[in-house]
Amino acid sequence: MQAKGRVIILMMDSFGIGGAEDAASFGDEGANTFLHIAENYKNLKVPNLKKLGLLEAAKASCGKAAPTDEAAAPDFDLPSKYGYMEEVSKGKDTSSGHWEMAGVPVTFNWGYFKPEYPSFPADLIEDICKEAGIKGILGNKAASGTVIINELGEEHIKTGLPICYTSADSVFQIAAHEKYFGLDNLYRLCETAFKHLKPYNIARVIARPFEGEKAGEFKRTKNRHDYSVKPPAKTVLDYMKDEGGQVISVGKISDIFAAQGITRAVKASGLKELWDVTLDEVKSAPKGSIVFTNFVDFDMTWGHRRDIKGYAEGLEYFDSRLKELAALLQEDDIVFITADHGCDPSYKGSDHTREHVPVIMFGKNVKPGFIGARESFSDIAATIADYFKLKPFDKAKSFL
């Protein structure tokens, strides 16, 4: 490994910039997260992202310019490369998007549960309940997490039965009250469920702890934990770790990769805290390190809940903090801004949307220019491998 500088990856969970070529096969024809936010939220202020090339990348992706505030001025001036990426993985889920950008596309089909009640096979639930020593479950359907805890939270407190639900993703989610059910009990139950779900090829079991005393007051806590299957091959994170480099994950990155290739995992939740922690880690990260942050609110809080205003305000806040990161960059550092899929808040339903995602790379010594359409998210992994002189990825192309 050549430890010339640091790599910082800012992963804007769900920030699509135009429908993918195969969007129609996913039922997502016409989805465009960024464009529709910009059209529905007047005078969107993202001057730093604009300066870095986001608007040009988005226009190249979909053929239409996103309207933003023309008067807003950027806070810094660093050279950047910019374009958009197409996903080759078969799914539009979190795991597939992250693994692909780390060099390992998902070429197999995940397992999924049916959306209507009962979503889960009876023998699966029986096996989980028997081993966990519980009498049954609540929920057993596809649902929004915030909706279902308000629907069933009081019954959960009264009966002690966990709330189990799924979504359009390959997931089995378990919500339980931190005080009345207990966080450790919830984690143990998720571990039990994860074991029994292996034959179903489900990507993740997600622990969704919450607090509050009655419907309308329940809210999820920051102690979410994802139990993920491991990537099917080594990612660029593994290669970095194997060569003695540091891989620092912020937020849910470590969970998504089942801790593979991670040297330090830092918990954080909420857009502000995720930014605060990311900046703290950049301040102390040595040369030869990757700082990788998932900004989950764009997806979990605004995309899935179809909250255009919240998403737009989140974009403006994200943009406003970029100047702080720019001020911390050392001579050879590079920053990537990208996403793992779309989640158009103006679109029907509440699922992810199959879209192109932005790829922006900036830093003091980045050679600027438009890098066009990348054929796979894995081009990010190839670029990082090229930068650190790690093992290359045969089916991906560096744009260093």
Side-chain angles (χ1 to χ4, degrees):
M1 181 190 73
Q2 183 177 324
K4 57 192 296 186
R6 293 99 52 85
V7 165
I8 299 101
I9 307 171
L10 309 178
M11 219 296 304
M12 301 173 70
D13 200 313
S14 87
F15 188 51
I17 59 170
E21 285 72 9
D22 58 356
S25 65
F26 287 82
D28 295 334
E29 192 171 18
N32 190 325
T33 300
F34 178 47
L35 178 64
H36 292 154
I37 290 169
E39 288 179 337
N40 286 282
Y41 185 87
K42 303 304 181 186
N43 297 318
L44 180 69
K45 295 178 176 62
V46 286
N48 295 311
L49 287 168
K50 180 179 178 180
K51 177 69 176 178
L52 293 170
L54 173 63
L55 270 64
E56 293 178 57
K59 185 177 180 180
S61 165
C62 69
K64 188 174 182 180
T68 61
D69 190 323
E70 295 293 330
D75 299 303
F76 61 92
D77 186 9
L78 289 175
S80 65
K81 290 182 177 179
Y82 53 89
Y84 66 91
M85 301 191 297
E86 303 171 3
E87 187 171 11
V88 300
S89 293
K90 290 190 175 183
K92 54 178 179 177
D93 57 280
T94 297
S95 298
S96 296
H98 281 74
W99 293 359
E100 184 171 330
M101 74 177 68
V104 182
V106 175
T107 58
F108 56 84
N109 291 313
W110 291 113
Y112 297 91
F113 294 113
K114 61 182 182 179
E116 66 275 5
Y117 176 88
S119 290
F120 309 122
D123 56 349
L124 170 65
I125 298 304
E126 182 180 348
D127 290 343
I128 292 172
C129 290
K130 182 178 179 180
E131 181 170 340
I134 57 177
K135 296 179 179 180
I137 66 168
L138 302 174
N140 203 345
K141 60 183 180 180
S144 158
T146 53
V147 171
I148 202 167
I149 63 172
N150 273 301
E151 175 189 344
L152 298 174
E154 291 183 3
E155 186 177 354
H156 161 70
I157 292 172
K158 184 186 298 184
T159 64
L161 302 181
I163 303 168
C164 299
Y165 61 105
T166 188
S167 73
D169 271 6
S170 179
V171 293
F172 186 102
Q173 305 189 72
I174 308 177
H177 200 286
E178 283 200 4
K179 175 182 174 183
Y180 298 108
F181 193 86
L183 194 58
D184 289 341
N185 286 336
L186 173 58
Y187 290 163
R188 281 194 293 269
L189 177 58
C190 287
E191 290 166 3
T192 298
F194 185 76
K195 180 173 64 176
H196 287 282
L197 283 161
K198 286 182 180 179
Y200 295 86
N201 198 30
I202 300 300
R204 289 177 294 158
V205 173
I206 307 178
R208 295 285 197 177
F210 65 94
E211 60 187 4
E213 296 299 320
K214 61 182 180 180
E217 296 179 356
F218 295 128
K219 63 178 183 178
R220 296 191 293 202
T221 74
K222 64 189 297 182
N223 292 317
R224 164 185 173 161
H225 183 58
D226 295 31
Y227 297 81
S228 174
V229 299
K230 297 177 181 180
K234 282 195 170 186
T235 71
V236 72
L237 309 182
D238 292 301
Y239 293 142
M240 187 69 175
K241 183 179 178 181
D242 290 347
E243 291 295 321
Q246 298 296 305
V247 181
I248 303 156
S249 76
V250 180
K252 69 176 188 176
I253 293 295
S254 182
D255 287 353
I256 293 168
F257 288 91
Q260 298 299 292
I262 307 298
T263 61
R264 172 176 160 79
V266 187
K267 275 192 173 185
S269 66
L271 193 53
K272 181 182 184 302
E273 185 181 20
L274 284 162
W275 259 115
D276 291 344
V277 171
T278 298
L279 295 172
D280 285 344
E281 293 302 321
V282 170
K283 289 174 185 176
S284 59
K287 290 183 182 295
S289 62
I290 297 172
V291 178
F292 193 172
T293 301
N294 175 291
F295 291 91
V296 69
D297 293 83
F298 293 112
D299 183 62
M300 180 182 71
T301 305
W302 303 309
H304 284 301
R305 298 184 192 178
R306 299 308 193 233
D307 182 355
I308 294 173
K309 181 175 182 289
Y311 207 127
E313 291 173 348
L315 288 174
E316 292 183 335
Y317 180 81
F318 180 93
D319 187 275
S320 74
R321 306 279 321 248
L322 286 168
K323 62 185 176 184
E324 298 172 62
L325 176 60
L328 297 176
L329 295 184
Q330 299 172 8
E331 198 65 22
D332 291 317
D333 291 348
I334 56 175
V335 180
F336 293 95
I337 300 175
T338 190
D340 54 345
H341 49 69
C343 199
D344 186 344
S346 74
Y347 206 65
K348 61 187 178 182
S350 60
D351 190 16
H352 295 155
T353 44
R354 182 76 163 188
E355 296 184 51
H356 298 145
V357 300
V359 55
I360 294 171
M361 183 175 85
F362 72 93
K364 295 181 178 180
N365 289 320
V366 168
K367 297 177 182 178
F370 178 61
I371 57 175
R374 314 305 299 186
E375 295 179 357
S376 169
F377 292 6
S378 292
D379 283 4
I380 286 182
T383 304
I384 294 172
D386 189 9
Y387 175 79
F388 284 121
K389 305 307 176 189
L390 302 170
K391 182 179 178 180
F393 290 85
D394 295 337
K395 295 183 180 180
K397 298 177 182 178
S398 169
F399 49 83
L400 190 63

